[in-house]
Amino acid sequence: MSATAFTGDFPLLIARLIADLDTLERRVDAASAALDAAGMPIAEAVMLDHWSEVLQLMLPGDDIALLRRVIDDYFAPSDAIIAREPFRIPDVFVSDMDSTMIGQECIDELADYAGIKPQIAAITERAMLGELDFESALRERVGLLAELEETAIARCLAERIVPMDGARALVATLKAHGCRTVLVTGGFHHFADPVAEQIGFERVIGNRLAVHEGKLTGGLVGAITGAPAKEAALREEMARHGDNAVSLATGDGANDIPMLAAATYGVAFRAKPKARAAANGWLDRGDLTALLKLLEIPEHDWVAA
């Protein structure tokens, strides 16, 4: 792999990616040939100083769709982010919760205590794929939980809900570098508040289950936290940091798409196809600490979870 000086005043794309090291040189050669043929030659290909497994590509041009297609064709499975400006540690990190910061979908697991997990999980899957309106699907699923004892939530948290690998280290390290961390979920405060405390998020935004006399009513309290609210939360936090704020967002489903699209680094984590397509980054290979590597934060600067 060769590196060349990168000079000139023109649009620039920078891609950082992690892929199979054993075949990386061959993959770079093949990707370089494909990009040359498409009129977007690689100007520089180097391994990062702090992370010898992270490849950085620099290319003149602005065709992100082409670059991501080539990365997918020649490096999959990979973890990657494509940017238009030099990488910086973000000022704001906003993340989805279910199947992103934790390994489960809370409402599906809670439904198991009511004996209806398959029915609710099928609706969840279609909503995350973008096949159903999120708010309608949420209200339908919550309605099916009417009369479930509120105590089932605590049992579900204790017995089923587990942070995703790398979640604590990611959040703690970003905070140590001055980044504001926000958990925003289409799920419920009953779950999100303890999860945020466990992982280390500073702010939580989510939906509220209605409870009466120790049982779920099948309704919600207040406005719905869906795709518009997630994007609004990101933009609100960015505005507090000024015009040059850099943001990182992670999510996996269709209701994360506006948030991912609005972020400087919108990273789809083991995501549904529509969410992955809307993002300029993705994690398909490693755990959440891959983001720290892609941001070139040395491991000795990571905060132990």
Side-chain angles (χ1 to χ4, degrees):
M1 287 175 285
S2 64
T4 61
F6 195 88
T7 60
D9 184 16
F10 36 68
L12 167 70
L13 291 178
I14 307 170
R16 287 182 177 174
L17 63 98
I18 303 170
D20 178 37
L21 281 174
D22 292 338
T23 59
L24 191 60
E25 187 165 357
R26 174 175 58 79
R27 290 167 184 255
V28 171
D29 289 344
S32 180
L35 287 164
D36 280 344
M40 197 165 78
I42 294 174
E44 183 178 84
V46 297
M47 307 305 290
L48 296 187
D49 290 340
H50 291 296
W51 288 106
S52 60
E53 65 187 295
V54 179
L55 171 67
Q56 178 169 281
L57 304 176
M58 300 182 72
L59 308 91
D62 196 41
D63 194 341
I64 285 184
L66 170 63
L67 180 54
R68 69 177 295 148
R69 186 165 65 249
V70 169
I71 292 173
D72 277 341
D73 285 347
Y74 293 97
F75 296 98
S78 67
D79 301 327
I81 300 175
I82 301 172
R84 290 187 169 93
E85 301 286 343
F87 278 77
R88 285 171 41 198
I89 295 173
D91 302 293
V92 174
F93 173 44
V94 180
S95 181
D96 176 43
M97 180 176 71
D98 294 32
S99 298
T100 303
M101 286 294 123
I102 60 174
Q104 301 75 35
E105 292 285 336
C106 290
I107 195 166
D108 295 357
E109 299 305 322
L110 186 59
D112 209 16
Y113 292 84
I116 54 172
K117 182 176 179 178
Q119 183 178 351
I120 283 188
I123 301 171
T124 300
E125 177 71 7
R126 292 188 64 199
M128 293 303 97
L129 286 168
E131 296 175 357
L132 298 175
D133 173 71
F134 176 79
E135 180 171 342
S136 299
L138 178 65
R139 292 190 184 280
E140 180 181 0
R141 287 174 289 164
V142 171
L144 293 170
L145 296 175
E147 298 301 313
L148 181 65
E149 297 285 344
E150 186 182 15
T151 56
I153 296 173
R155 287 182 58 203
C156 186
L157 272 164
E159 297 170 3
R160 305 286 183 90
I161 306 306
V162 180
M164 197 69 77
D165 289 345
R168 292 188 184 95
L170 172 63
V171 172
T173 301
L174 290 177
K175 285 168 62 178
H177 284 77
C179 181
R180 166 81 164 165
T181 59
V182 181
L183 186 67
V184 56
T185 176
F188 315 111
H189 275 280
H190 277 86
F191 290 95
D193 290 345
V195 165
E197 183 175 358
Q198 186 179 14
I199 295 176
F201 282 92
E202 299 162 278
R203 181 185 178 193
V204 185
I205 303 168
N207 295 300
R208 295 191 181 276
L209 291 165
V211 179
H212 181 68
E213 294 183 351
K215 294 184 178 181
L216 303 189
T217 69
L220 295 162
V221 178
I224 295 292
T225 297
K230 290 186 173 189
E231 180 186 3
L234 175 75
R235 293 191 181 280
E236 175 190 339
E237 294 289 345
M238 288 177 66
R240 292 176 179 174
H241 287 80
D243 293 340
N244 296 319
V246 170
S247 58
L248 168 66
T250 54
D252 72 301
N255 66 326
D256 297 312
I257 288 174
M259 175 180 73
L260 294 173
T264 311
Y265 312 129
V267 179
F269 180 74
R270 301 177 191 173
K272 306 301 183 187
K274 288 182 180 179
R276 191 181 185 281
N280 61 3
W282 55 89
L283 298 185
D284 294 341
R285 188 172 183 272
D287 67 26
L288 287 164
T289 60
L291 286 171
L292 299 176
K293 298 175 183 179
L294 292 170
L295 292 169
E296 204 179 4
I297 300 176
E299 192 165 7
H300 59 72
D301 285 345
W302 292 9
V303 178

